[in-house]
Amino acid sequence: MDLNSDVEKVLISENRLAETVRRIAQEIDRDYAGSGYKLLLLGILKGSVVFMGDLMKQIKIPVEIDFMKVSSYGRSTVSSGSVNILLDLYRKDLAQVDILVVEDIIDSGRTLSYLCEYLKLKGAHSVKTVTLLDKPSRREVEFTPDYVGAEIPDEFVVGYGLDYAEQYRTLPYVGVLKPEVYNA
Ligand code: PRP
């Protein structure tokens, strides 16, 4: 079975993704160089893994990496969205750490808005966010990421870590899924 044949169009090509990742890495290098704190790239499983892997290779300043896993409930309903932590961050030196949360996509904004508050309460020196993709038209809570790869329209995107029913994460580009795939 060819996963590519379920894709209606390529939204962001492999080359454009590589350029985007290099651009963001340069911004991070510039902003955190000589900060005096440890920089921690904190990937949110699972969607961020491909972006995280490529991004960390392009960042020149010293960084540490870690991961958290969360699950959202009620994302389709405006009032009941809440976030559950399935894999937490455990370290004792957070006061010396600048956290940069790495996401593949922001939709309602609930996941990152919750996580940023949570990580600040845990005592991180600073908490910022980077997302490869942003769908501002889908926001349910106010949230503005610090670094953005690309703003995209409200289309069903897969690839480069993003899934539909746990498939398509391995595609090397970001594509729009054919409606007949998820309407089947
Ligand atoms: C996606 C994405 C974010 C969240 C964004 O994760 O990776 O974590 O949804 O949505 P929000 O802005 O509405 O909170 P998902 O729950 O699909 O899990 P996955 O990363 O394991 O695919």
Side-chain angles (χ1 to χ4, degrees):
M1 181 205 156
D2 180 13
L3 294 178
N4 296 285
S5 62
D6 288 345
V7 173
E8 190 168 78
K9 66 175 177 199
V10 174
L11 197 63
I12 311 181
S13 68
E14 234 180 308
N15 279 342
R16 220 187 108 203
L17 284 167
E19 277 169 29
T20 301
V21 169
R22 278 197 296 272
R23 191 251 305 157
I24 293 175
Q26 282 169 8
E27 292 173 11
I28 292 169
D29 280 340
R30 179 198 64 204
D31 294 350
Y32 285 92
S35 79
Y37 292 84
K38 301 171 196 169
L39 176 57
L40 177 68
L41 294 184
L42 181 60
I44 308 305
L45 297 171
K46 303 177 228 175
S48 70
V49 289
V50 182
F51 177 43
M52 175 93 164
D54 282 351
L55 183 65
M56 73 171 84
K57 287 184 288 182
Q58 296 298 328
I59 293 175
K60 305 280 186 291
I61 61 173
V63 294
E64 300 177 25
I65 66 161
D66 216 326
F67 294 91
M68 285 182 71
K69 187 167 167 58
V70 300
S71 73
S72 319
Y73 288 106
R75 197 178 302 144
S76 56
T77 59
V78 175
S79 55
S80 67
S82 68
V83 176
N84 264 11
I85 293 176
L86 304 179
L87 174 65
D88 206 343
L89 174 67
Y90 297 100
R91 55 188 291 172
K92 295 199 169 114
D93 61 345
L94 280 179
Q96 278 77 54
V97 177
D98 287 323
I99 296 179
L100 185 53
V101 183
V102 181
E103 268 288 22
D104 53 338
I105 190 164
I106 304 178
D107 193 355
S108 71
R110 288 186 187 281
T111 304
L112 276 185
S113 136
Y114 174 85
L115 267 178
C116 286
E117 284 313 304
Y118 177 78
L119 292 165
K120 282 176 199 160
L121 281 174
K122 268 170 107 72
H125 173 256
S126 75
V127 181
K128 287 190 174 185
T129 57
V130 52
T131 189
L132 177 69
L133 305 174
D134 191 6
K135 278 187 183 175
S137 65
R138 295 269 302 170
R139 274 309 185 281
E140 293 171 13
V141 296
E142 209 174 294
F143 187 84
T144 307
D146 297 283
Y147 305 91
V148 179
E151 289 193 359
I152 60 166
D154 186 15
E155 295 185 291
F156 205 128
V157 286
V158 294
Y160 203 70
L162 290 108
D163 76 309
Y164 168 64
E166 294 301 329
Q167 294 300 315
Y168 307 99
R169 294 191 198 272
T170 50
L171 291 174
Y173 55 84
V174 174
V176 177
L177 201 58
K178 287 180 180 168
E180 55 261 42
V181 176
Y182 53 87
N183 287 330

